[in-house]
Amino acid sequence: MTYANSPAGTTTADGDADVTSGLAEGQGPPPAARPRRGKSWWRRPWMAPLGFVTVLFLAFSLPPYFTGDPARARVPQPEGFPAHYPLLVAHVMFASVAMVTCFLQVWPWFRRRHPVAHRYTGRVYVFAGVLPAGLSALVIGARTPFGPMLMVSDVIGAILWLSFTVAGYRMARQRRYAEHRRWMLRSFTSTFSIITNRVWIVVFTIALTPQLDTTFQGNQTWLAWTISGLSGWLGWTVPLLVVEWWLERGNPARRRAKARAATA
């Protein structure tokens, strides 16, 4: 990923000079500080796969919801909740906006060469992407037809997604850019966790389907609830744990403070 919390005048993990951290503490940039020339796009091997996966995922996910036919939705509508389908369509559309703008936000070349567009794209990400998508996710997650295990995961995941995004936006408004990057990295990870969720679905479907007649006593509902629940939880918890490890690993000052506390 792109963002890292780094002290003023150091470089971030993607190789760009980070002079905003010092500004976040109310300091000016060092007199000799100059933004270093960023890496060429082909030297960032993670951008092309991320863009490809994003386009592929949206091309697969969006078409059923353009028809307006609830029968083609990949999530069945719960009984007694007619608002589920329009909320589901709204969630899919707004989340798609979040994914596209998220890709632009983490693209170092775009951020460096087009800072004004980066700021406006960030506002679109927050107000036309995550906030409406997260709020609709709260409602449809609470009424998921795939059991209580997924319901709890969806609700907690949506709350965290909204919280990370609001915190990141507030940090940017306060010009606390180092903290802004940390919070938005968590938000971006939550945005793309839907893709890792689908990977886990495939894994658990392959692993658990042969146990239908034994472990699940032939009950298709129990099997579906188990696959959905496990995939839902691992889809967002594993990426966030990796990001937290990465953020801590990239913060030498915090590592030194922990080392001092451990030896005290």
Side-chain angles (χ1 to χ4, degrees):
M1 280 294 185
T2 303
Y3 298 134
N5 186 25
S6 55
T10 62
T11 57
T12 58
D14 61 11
D16 295 325
D18 184 5
V19 297
T20 57
S21 299
L23 296 178
E25 301 296 332
Q27 305 169 0
R34 293 291 185 275
R36 289 172 51 185
R37 187 176 183 83
K39 295 181 181 178
S40 302
W41 65 269
W42 60 82
R43 296 180 60 189
R44 303 182 187 280
W46 52 271
M47 283 305 304
L50 180 63
F52 175 76
V53 170
T54 301
V55 171
L56 190 67
F57 179 81
L58 293 178
F60 171 78
S61 301
L62 287 177
Y65 299 98
F66 289 141
T67 65
D69 182 6
R72 296 194 60 189
R74 293 195 169 93
V75 180
Q77 181 169 309
E79 294 183 5
F81 187 39
H84 181 270
Y85 181 71
L87 283 172
L88 177 62
V89 173
H91 169 73
V92 170
M93 298 305 169
F94 287 123
S96 299
V97 172
M99 290 185 73
V100 173
T101 52
C102 178
F103 173 80
L104 294 174
Q105 290 300 97
V106 300
W107 189 5
W109 178 89
F110 180 81
R111 189 175 69 249
R112 185 175 63 251
R113 296 292 295 272
H114 303 284
V116 175
H118 170 76
R119 289 195 294 272
Y120 282 110
T121 304
R123 294 187 183 113
V124 173
Y125 172 76
V126 173
F127 294 106
V130 175
L131 292 186
L135 291 173
S136 56
L138 270 176
V139 180
I140 60 178
R143 295 297 302 272
T144 179
F146 292 113
M149 185 177 179
L150 181 62
M151 178 194 70
V152 175
S153 171
D154 284 351
V155 170
I156 294 176
I159 291 173
L160 290 176
W161 190 24
L162 291 166
S163 301
F164 295 155
T165 306
V166 170
Y169 178 74
R170 289 186 60 203
M171 294 301 102
R173 296 288 296 175
Q174 297 172 16
R175 299 184 181 274
R176 296 161 63 180
Y177 295 117
E179 295 173 71
H180 162 73
R181 291 187 178 108
R182 293 175 65 89
W183 284 112
M184 294 311 288
L185 179 55
R186 297 178 180 111
S187 173
F188 298 158
T189 303
S190 297
T191 298
F192 281 101
S193 67
I194 186 64
I195 296 178
T196 55
N197 171 275
R198 297 301 186 262
V199 173
W200 283 112
I201 286 177
V202 173
V203 171
F204 285 118
T205 298
I206 294 173
L208 297 180
T209 299
Q211 302 179 41
L212 173 62
D213 293 329
T214 54
T215 304
F216 300 97
Q217 302 177 14
N219 192 313
Q220 292 277 1
T221 299
W222 290 357
L223 174 64
W225 283 16
T226 302
I227 292 173
S228 299
L230 292 173
S231 303
W233 278 101
L234 294 178
W236 61 267
T237 56
V238 171
L240 281 176
L241 287 172
V242 172
V243 165
E244 289 300 325
W245 168 83
W246 189 85
L247 287 172
E248 295 301 315
R249 176 178 176 271
N251 191 333
R254 186 163 299 181
R255 289 203 307 271
R256 289 194 296 269
K258 286 185 176 180
R260 287 195 298 268
T263 57

